[in-house]
Amino acid sequence: MAAVALPDWLEPQALINGNWVPARDGSCFAVVNPATQQVIAQVAECGAGETAAAIGAASNAQADWARRPAKDQALLLRRWFDLVMAHQEPLAQLLTLEQGKPLAEARGEIAYGASYIEWFAEEAKRIYGDTIPAPGADKRIITLKQPVGVVACITPWNFPNAMLARKIAPALAAGCTVVCKPANETPLSAFALAHLAQQAGIPDGVINVLCGKTEEIGRALTSSTEVRKLTFTGSTRVGKLLAADCAATMKRTTMELGGNAPFIVFADADIDAAVAGAVASKYRNAGQTCICANRILVEDEIYDEFAAKLTHQAEAFVLGHGSDEQVTMGPLIHQGAAAKVADLLSDAVAQGARLKHGCGPSELGSGFVEPGVLIDVTPQMRITQEEIFGPVAPLLRFSSEAEAIDLANATQAGLAAYFYTADAARMVRVAEALEYGIVGINEGIVSNEMAPFGGIKESGNGREGSRYGLDDYLEIKYLCIGGIGSA
Ligand code: NAP
């Protein structure tokens, strides 16, 4: 397998006001290939000072950007989309290099991220206000939708391109400017996206990107009175900390946090379709997605058949370096992630769960975990209560619809849930009863730019994508026009 070089146009520095700059004190940190542990770049390690400069740049650029006709904003976003798609291959290679996912998945992520840019390029032209009947004959009521202002975007490592595109595109479409802090594990994909936005002609200061001293940057963003909104994708733990910090300045927040998705298979379901859905939901990105099936609940009568068929599929994965075209599953993001999976497994096995296949460490290296299936899992085990974020499918049993719903809802998470059934009435009943923001019915792949993505309960608030995705970046201003009288 040939080593992939960084594109020569990629600058691993901070983007502030249109300039790629090093950290003020010259410090850098290493970004590592999770498959090989080799250092692939030294990145500017920024802190509070650089963040203040980025906020200043975004603040200065905001009024001009907001004043641009929606058609101009849309055109620039569209050009950005075109450039991203024209660079799909190098962007995918870069993504695999820093994140580890197989190239086919990385290509898919680039197209998925770009689809949000395309969608919001279109939606930029459809930000409508209202006229509202007034209570008196000499009054009129009009509402305007105006940009929130400067938006801070903090994103995780599991989808280094798409999670950022999903935030920047609606922010810009609404007339906002952004300061972005991508995950320190995977900043290169963010820099590449920002570089292409510059090439597209998006003005200086509209998009700023930096990373480095995480808590310092976070504090500078949350405490700033110029930053009017924080949109965060990441863990529930960090989301709660940041939301609390945002309260001091009453910032608006969008919180896309952790999940604990139930995947329910009723005995009347098409079992092969359910297995295919479970594979797609569970093992994508080596199990490191917020909407991954975290608990697979299978009705008693079909439990053994489902377990056997899922195991057969798990055995078919080819674990390895994502940049090898044959590979269908890469490493976890780092050794700590693999250690967490091992810890959850040993807790489950100590309480009576059995490994049907895989789940263990691989000879490929300490970040690799064999995709696997765990049976005889019970709700008391930690593996059903915490996000696994690894390629382990825990199978629980249930014997009635009511029990399945109770098990599914027994968590503080509320992002995605899935169920498979052939019974139309049950589809309605169960979909209504599940306490989740997203429900896949006879479908394991639920995320796309046309649909509202987001959770309830401790999985956060706000929605990304769809026509609702702009609302989070807009304020409603009400104009009350009086003294109109009659001619
Ligand atoms: P994380 O530890 O919460 O980190 C996410 C981002 O927050 C990273 O950029 C991280 O920076 C930053 N961060 C951490 N502590 C911070 C602080 N005190 N101040 C400011 N920024 C801070 O989460 P992760 O482990 O990277 O990502 C996995 C989590 O994301 C999972 O829980 C997953 O479910 C969730 N997720 C949710 C969605 C969704 O749409 N709901 C989508 C994808 C992922 P550093 O990298 O520098 O630490």
Side-chain angles (χ1 to χ4, degrees):
M1 185 185 29
V4 180
L6 292 186
D8 52 12
W9 44 263
L10 186 80
E11 299 192 61
Q13 309 205 72
L15 176 63
I16 300 176
N17 204 23
N19 301 309
W20 291 95
V21 293
R24 288 180 177 178
D25 64 2
S27 60
C28 288
F29 67 94
V31 175
V32 169
N33 179 340
T36 62
Q37 302 307 317
Q38 283 170 341
V39 173
I40 51 179
Q42 293 288 343
V43 170
E45 187 176 30
C46 298
E50 294 86 343
T51 309
I55 294 170
S59 195
N60 288 337
Q62 208 268 313
D64 276 352
W65 177 249
R67 263 198 297 271
R68 285 203 173 214
K71 198 164 172 162
D72 282 10
Q73 294 167 336
L75 195 70
L76 291 172
L77 285 168
R78 176 73 209 191
R79 266 194 218 144
W80 187 24
F81 162 78
D82 288 337
L83 279 170
V84 171
M85 289 311 293
H87 290 79
Q88 184 178 16
E89 190 55 31
L91 290 175
Q93 292 192 7
L94 183 65
L95 204 163
T96 292
L97 196 63
E98 65 175 350
Q99 203 277 342
K101 65 180 64 177
L103 263 177
E105 283 191 33
R107 291 182 189 114
E109 180 179 339
I110 302 302
Y112 171 63
S115 73
Y116 286 91
I117 303 176
E118 182 185 40
W119 173 263
F120 286 109
E122 294 157 357
E123 289 295 289
K125 292 179 281 187
R126 299 187 192 110
I127 298 174
Y128 305 139
D130 303 299
T131 58
I132 298 175
D138 66 340
K139 282 191 178 153
R140 298 291 183 272
I141 296 175
I142 294 173
T143 66
L144 306 179
K145 300 264 183 77
Q146 293 187 312
V148 166
V150 176
V151 176
C153 309
I154 303 183
T155 50
W157 47 262
N158 60 348
F159 290 89
N161 173 295
M163 294 302 97
L164 199 56
R166 202 160 86 169
K167 296 185 184 308
I168 301 178
L172 267 55
C176 301
T177 54
V178 295
V179 178
C180 306
K181 152 66 183 87
N184 279 356
E185 280 99 346
T186 56
L188 304 176
S189 295
F191 295 146
L193 255 186
H195 170 84
L196 293 176
Q198 281 189 300
Q199 299 299 306
I202 291 174
D204 293 349
V206 171
I207 299 176
N208 304 274
V209 186
L210 48 76
C211 51
K213 294 169 188 144
T214 304
E215 291 182 9
E216 221 177 286
I217 296 171
R219 268 195 305 274
L221 291 170
T222 53
S223 64
S224 165
T225 51
E226 287 175 280
V227 175
R228 293 310 316 147
K229 176 187 169 74
L230 169 71
T231 170
F232 172 75
T233 299
S235 62
T236 297
R237 183 187 69 79
V238 174
K240 287 179 180 178
L241 291 174
L242 294 174
D245 289 348
C246 284
T249 49
M250 289 308 283
K251 277 186 210 351
R252 290 182 51 178
T253 59
T254 294
M255 291 283 162
E256 295 285 355
L257 310 178
N260 181 354
F263 188 105
I264 307 168
V265 190
F266 289 100
D268 60 28
D270 175 336
I271 296 181
D272 291 337
V275 168
V279 168
S281 166
K282 173 72 251 181
Y283 296 113
R284 192 162 56 103
N285 201 9
Q288 303 171 107
T289 87
C290 52
I291 55 172
C292 267
N294 206 57
R295 298 167 289 151
I296 302 185
L297 314 175
V298 188
E299 198 156 7
D300 267 333
E301 295 99 293
I302 57 161
Y303 188 91
D304 293 339
E305 182 185 352
F306 183 89
K309 287 184 164 170
L310 185 64
T311 301
H312 185 63
Q313 295 294 321
E315 285 166 352
F317 276 97
V318 180
L319 192 62
H321 295 198
S323 43
D324 179 342
E325 292 280 1
Q326 315 304 315
V327 161
T328 53
M329 186 178 292
L332 299 191
I333 189 68
H334 47 52
Q335 296 169 11
K340 181 186 173 193
V341 174
D343 187 37
L344 292 177
L345 268 174
S346 60
D347 172 77
V349 169
Q351 293 190 60
R354 288 183 295 140
L355 292 175
K356 182 112 174 111
H357 170 74
C359 306
S362 155
E363 59 193 18
L364 288 164
S366 51
F368 289 88
V369 176
E370 295 283 352
V373 177
L374 190 65
I375 57 172
D376 297 342
V377 175
T378 65
Q380 289 70 40
M381 298 171 184
R382 277 177 54 213
I383 202 158
T384 68
Q385 296 161 10
E386 299 177 28
E387 252 185 323
I388 305 168
F389 251 52
V392 175
L395 267 54
L396 294 86
R397 288 175 187 273
F398 68 89
S399 54
S400 71
E401 185 179 304
E403 187 191 2
I405 291 168
D406 284 348
L407 282 170
N409 287 340
T411 168
Q412 282 312 305
L415 186 55
Y418 309 83
F419 67 96
Y420 277 68
T421 180
D423 179 334
R426 173 176 274 162
M427 281 181 204
V428 176
R429 276 195 309 272
V430 175
E432 287 176 356
L434 287 171
E435 296 168 355
Y436 290 84
I438 303 165
V439 180
I441 305 168
N442 295 331
E443 178 57 62
I445 301 277
V446 290
S447 187
N448 62 72
E449 80 282 13
M450 288 172 261
F453 190 102
I456 61 172
K457 293 163 79 176
E458 293 192 9
S459 290
N461 55 59
R463 294 293 179 269
E464 295 191 323
S466 82
R467 70 186 167 93
Y468 304 107
L470 272 178
D471 293 345
D472 282 15
Y473 297 89
L474 293 165
E475 298 286 8
I476 298 175
K477 183 181 281 176
Y478 145 51
L479 311 183
C480 183
I481 308 171
I484 292 172
S486 54

